[in-house]
Amino acid sequence: MPSSTPSHGPHAAAAAADTAAPGSPDGPGAPCGPAATAASASAAFSHTAPAAEPQQASPTLASLLATGAGEALEVVRAPRGTGVPVRGVGVFDSGETLAAQGQVLIAAGVDDSSDVAPLVLRSAARAGAVAVVVRRGASGPSRRLLEVAEETATALLTRAPWIEWTELIGMLRAGLAYGGGPLRTESPTDVPLGDLSALARAFSELVGGAITIEDPDSRVLAFSPTEHGADPLRRQTILGQQVPRWRLAELAASGFLRTLWSTDDVVHRPAEERFSERLAIAVRAGDEVLGSLWAAADGSPLRPEARQALREAARTAAPHLLHHRLRTQNGSTRRRRAVRALLDGTGETRAAATLGFTPGTPCVVLSVAAEGTGPGQDGDGTARDRALRMAALQVTAHQPAGYTLRADNRLDVLLPLPEDEPPAASGRARRLALQLATAVREAGARPLVAIGTPESGPAQAPASRACAHLVLQVLREQSARAGYGGSRAAPEGGLGDGGPGPLEVADETDVRAALDALRAVRAVAELTPQVDGPVRELLAYDQQHRTDLAQTLSAYLSSFGDVAGTARQLGIHPNTLRYRLRRLRSHFGLELDDPDVRLLAELGLRAAGRYPAGPRPDGPSA
């Protein structure tokens, strides 16, 4: 989990006046003019010594899971239940397990189906660990691991595929630092976990002022209604859902933010000019800064007991903000992990549920590439990135929304399909593919969009993705042979005559012959020399002598031995072609009258990406 401590927090120097530093969305009331100096700031706000905190419940495995980690973890076995106390979170090390008493141990790199997992669990149990977390594999925990889990007192937990180990460790340590978590009984509010709007209203009644809850980057998460009319600063902050930049600069320059993020207590800002009195306090879980609470006077000065009420509110808010972080701030990370897990074939029901899929949700995978716009061009990197970003935005705007995964120079799209119609009958994938092609083209690149096979459920998404990648490879090869743009898209009904040039948008039915040939080459790759014998020598000769005899051989084979047609394709005289063919025979032993030699030569050229023949290369070719 990325650290939530703001860069301008407890250990940072005061930010420059033009730096947007976190603070209060309805931030403390300072004048709208030039920022106050650090010298005058000491009179503008103050903080008091914290009152004695009420005794918190000891953290348990149950309370740790309830702070949000339970979303990322699955309890496989818990022989002693989840009410056992937890003393800390650590990383499993077979050489240092004696320090694991009462800890939740993270066994990074250990899969629940591996032979190592039972040994790790038994070793952790001997050391007194409360629980061990291992990676959740596609096939689930091994029988041996489950047997060991039944024999030990240590709980076995698995980590969901959509969260990184570092994020999980940060989440667990933040939850542990909070202590009793949301299970504490002395909370002054009765608000469901994560309902920040209800929490702001409850805090408003508790404190006797207008409340704003914000994240460490000064974004408004929730606010209470203002009974007597918000002052201009609070109104501007709420409408913009963000503390105004000029206000953040003033708070940073005056030292107010430094004080707020470095103390555990309430910081006070008296009323000034048009702005009412403010109280602010950071919300923490141990060293993790989760956000802040701001109380503004609403029609009358804040009551003397408002400070103590705000302290209690900050303690109560911690589990809510932990929960919010997992559900919203890490939402994109969770979705990205879930998409990767499904497309890689390592996902399961929970990963699918993260995206709103059921086991029976039909889906299809599209693959998008952005190429150069002229002969021999691979596309400018900046233009390609911009084009793929535009395509990703198009996917987000599509209804129903798809999910994207960027991989190098390709964008994979996982698109759910209606459950009430046969997947193969849906034209949604074709329509989205055409929209993606338009988005890439308008961004200044040449689009190639491949549509995989529609599948009956998310478990089959890897098969659809594999098909889309094959179709995309065919489109790239066809585009390379054409040498330049003027591409066309197959119409919704099928291939048809979409215009001159190679296809831009296609599924497997549009490129059936080329796709079958590609699959055949891959299927026999282990049975035939991949790039061996005469073809390997030929390619090495071309590279060493800057010739292109491989191009000549590819053109000759793809023209079925038609000397006149091959010569026209290469732009040379037929006698020149005959001379090259004699060189192929004498130098490399390629007896092209033999059908077996021709077949092996074609397979070798295909494996090297040199067949079928592309456009005539520039430079020497003899």
Side-chain angles (χ1 to χ4, degrees), residues 263-313:
T263 180
D264 292 330
D265 199 37
V266 175
V267 184
H268 176 249
R269 186 86 177 192
E272 297 183 26
E273 296 186 3
R274 300 175 297 157
F275 307 135
S276 60
E277 175 189 16
R278 255 76 166 184
L279 293 175
I281 188 170
V283 180
R284 287 185 170 83
D287 293 333
E288 291 280 329
V289 177
L290 306 176
S292 57
L293 303 179
W294 295 81
D298 186 7
S300 60
L302 293 168
R303 300 191 299 262
E305 59 270 23
R307 292 174 182 265
Q308 179 57 29
L310 199 60
R311 295 185 190 104
E312 296 177 9

Side-chain angles (χ1 to χ4, degrees), residues 430-479:
R430 175 79 65 174
R431 289 192 289 273
L432 176 58
L434 294 172
Q435 294 169 3
L436 295 176
T438 300
V440 170
R441 193 181 304 107
E442 290 177 349
R446 183 160 48 86
L448 297 176
V449 185
I451 306 169
T453 51
E455 301 292 346
S456 59
Q460 289 77 47
S464 181
R465 184 195 199 189
C467 177
H469 288 179
L470 287 176
V471 173
L472 184 62
Q473 181 174 339
V474 169
L475 292 180
R476 278 176 162 156
E477 291 176 355
Q478 291 181 348
S479 180

Side-chain angles (χ1 to χ4, degrees), residues 200-274:
R201 292 192 297 270
F203 287 166
S204 178
E205 296 178 4
L206 183 70
V207 174
I211 293 291
T212 306
I213 304 175
E214 39 181 281
D215 70 7
D217 293 320
S218 301
R219 290 186 291 263
V220 178
L221 302 178
F223 59 91
S224 66
T226 306
E227 294 183 5
H228 298 87
D231 64 28
L233 178 58
R234 177 175 168 82
R235 185 165 54 250
Q236 183 179 355
T237 298
I238 290 175
L239 289 176
Q241 292 293 292
Q242 172 78 44
V243 181
R245 185 180 178 86
W246 60 264
R247 185 57 171 171
L248 291 175
E250 287 183 357
L251 294 173
S254 68
F256 187 95
L257 291 178
R258 182 187 302 177
T259 303
L260 174 66
W261 299 121
S262 61
T263 180
D264 292 330
D265 199 37
V266 175
V267 184
H268 176 249
R269 186 86 177 192
E272 297 183 26
E273 296 186 3
R274 300 175 297 157

Side-chain angles (χ1 to χ4, degrees), residues 549-559 569 605 610-614:
L549 291 172
Q551 175 78 3
T552 299
L553 176 59
S554 179
Y556 180 76
L557 292 174
S558 59
S559 297
Q569 180 181 344
L605 289 170
R610 301 297 298 274
Y611 186 95

Side-chain angles (χ1 to χ4, degrees), residues 73-373:
L73 294 173
E74 179 180 350
V75 180
V76 179
R77 293 287 188 275
R80 294 189 292 161
T82 58
V84 292
V86 177
R87 294 176 51 190
V89 178
V91 177
F92 177 84
D93 185 336
S94 58
E96 299 180 3
T97 53
L98 293 180
Q101 185 71 36
Q103 288 192 347
V104 174
L105 293 182
I106 304 298
V110 178
D111 191 288
D112 61 0
S113 60
S114 70
D115 295 336
V116 178
L119 303 177
V120 169
L121 179 58
R122 196 177 291 281
S123 177
R126 286 197 298 267
V130 170
V132 171
V133 183
V134 298
R135 184 174 64 243
R136 186 184 307 163
S139 58
S142 67
R143 181 166 56 183
R144 179 56 184 157
L145 178 60
L146 294 177
E147 291 173 352
V148 173
E150 295 290 350
E151 300 169 0
T152 65
T154 297
L156 172 64
L157 284 70
T158 56
R159 184 209 72 178
W162 48 260
I163 188 168
E164 295 284 1
W165 288 113
T166 53
E167 294 175 326
L168 178 62
I169 292 171
M171 185 189 306
L172 289 171
R173 286 179 173 167
L176 184 66
Y178 175 70
L183 302 181
R184 55 185 297 159
T185 59
E186 66 273 16
S187 172
T189 66
D190 185 16
V191 173
L193 185 64
D195 190 346
L196 297 186
S197 295
L199 195 67
R201 292 192 297 270
F203 287 166
S204 178
E205 296 178 4
L206 183 70
V207 174
I211 293 291
T212 306
I213 304 175
E214 39 181 281
D215 70 7
D217 293 320
S218 301
R219 290 186 291 263
V220 178
L221 302 178
F223 59 91
S224 66
T226 306
E227 294 183 5
H228 298 87
D231 64 28
L233 178 58
R234 177 175 168 82
R235 185 165 54 250
Q236 183 179 355
T237 298
I238 290 175
L239 289 176
Q241 292 293 292
Q242 172 78 44
V243 181
R245 185 180 178 86
W246 60 264
R247 185 57 171 171
L248 291 175
E250 287 183 357
L251 294 173
S254 68
F256 187 95
L257 291 178
R258 182 187 302 177
T259 303
L260 174 66
W261 299 121
S262 61
T263 180
D264 292 330
D265 199 37
V266 175
V267 184
H268 176 249
R269 186 86 177 192
E272 297 183 26
E273 296 186 3
R274 300 175 297 157
F275 307 135
S276 60
E277 175 189 16
R278 255 76 166 184
L279 293 175
I281 188 170
V283 180
R284 287 185 170 83
D287 293 333
E288 291 280 329
V289 177
L290 306 176
S292 57
L293 303 179
W294 295 81
D298 186 7
S300 60
L302 293 168
R303 300 191 299 262
E305 59 270 23
R307 292 174 182 265
Q308 179 57 29
L310 199 60
R311 295 185 190 104
E312 296 177 9
R315 288 190 290 271
T316 301
H320 291 271
L321 292 186
L322 277 171
H323 183 81
H324 172 80
R325 172 187 291 180
L326 178 69
R327 289 295 182 124
T328 57
Q329 292 181 336
N330 287 337
S332 60
T333 300
R334 295 171 63 226
R335 287 189 295 272
R336 185 171 62 253
R337 306 289 183 211
V339 172
R340 183 181 297 278
L342 287 177
L343 293 182
D344 288 348
T346 60
E348 72 302 306
T349 303
R350 180 170 294 199
T354 299
L355 305 177
F357 285 73
T358 68
T361 301
C363 62
V364 64
V365 176
L366 292 75
S367 224
V368 185
E371 305 291 323
T373 55

